[in-house]
Amino acid sequence: MILDNLNQQELEVATKWLDFTVESFITNIRKLRIRQTGALMASFRKQVIGAATGRLQLQLSYALYGKFVDMGVGRGMGQGVRKGDDGYDRIRNSRGQLKRRERKAKKWYSREIAYQTKRLAELMSELHGTLLISAVSEALPADDLQVNF
């Protein structure tokens, strides 16, 4: 019974953690004014998977270009655009440098996931500690216990 209760509470904590984490990501994306935020924000998918061994697995996915925005890297032009094409001259000058400002890393993901992962570990350890204490207290006898030294 305690094991079933533990699994149910773990599932609940994991689900709430995923919801809160995605909301934090979306808040960071809006705060940093990342372009195409609608597509990136709509790309979030989250899932809690309960394995047969009792281990809980969390799955969080989003659009790949969000990672590049976080790192501040990328070519700055669409797929398939080559030197000499119409789109190339619109984006880059004759030396191949971008006409607009250089890219900067917009840390919407890396800092937040590090913090949220640590927080999930704290929540799970607190949950296991609370359930352990309740299991021990239920196993103790109901009468007063005297210890003489």
Side-chain angles (χ1 to χ4, degrees):
M1 176 165 147
I2 292 175
L3 190 58
D4 291 334
N5 191 18
L6 175 65
N7 290 340
Q8 184 63 31
Q9 288 183 348
E10 278 182 344
L11 183 66
E12 189 177 315
V13 167
T15 305
K16 287 181 181 178
W17 179 84
L18 272 174
D19 293 338
F20 185 79
T21 302
V22 169
E23 285 300 317
S24 297
F25 287 152
I26 290 172
T27 302
N28 287 344
I29 290 169
R30 285 185 178 142
K31 187 185 334 177
L32 293 171
R33 296 183 185 145
I34 296 172
R35 291 184 187 165
Q36 300 174 343
T37 56
L40 181 56
M41 288 189 296
S43 70
F44 283 102
R45 301 288 178 261
K46 56 193 178 206
Q47 184 178 9
V48 179
I49 305 166
T53 59
R55 291 189 66 155
L56 199 61
Q57 294 179 353
L58 307 178
Q59 186 175 32
L60 178 64
S61 59
Y62 55 90
L64 179 63
Y65 78 89
K67 193 79 162 173
F68 301 136
V69 171
D70 182 68
M71 293 184 284
V73 297
R75 290 181 54 181
M77 56 187 160
Q79 183 177 5
V81 176
R82 303 283 182 257
K83 194 170 191 172
D85 288 349
D86 227 9
Y88 185 86
D89 294 334
R90 186 173 41 85
I91 296 171
R92 295 180 179 261
N93 63 20
S94 61
R95 294 185 298 184
Q97 300 167 330
L98 286 172
K99 291 181 180 177
R100 60 179 186 255
R101 298 181 302 216
E102 292 193 25
R103 291 173 211 88
K104 293 180 183 176
K106 295 183 178 181
K107 300 287 186 185
W108 69 270
Y109 173 79
S110 54
R111 289 181 185 159
E112 190 67 31
I113 197 66
Y115 171 74
Q116 292 298 341
T117 304
K118 180 182 179 293
R119 185 67 185 133
L120 178 63
E122 291 171 353
L123 290 171
M124 287 297 180
S125 65
E126 183 179 318
L127 174 66
H128 284 270
T130 304
L131 288 176
L132 178 64
I133 290 171
S134 67
V136 168
S137 65
E138 287 176 7
L140 289 174
D143 298 334
D144 290 339
L145 183 65
Q146 289 183 346
V147 179
N148 296 327
F149 292 104

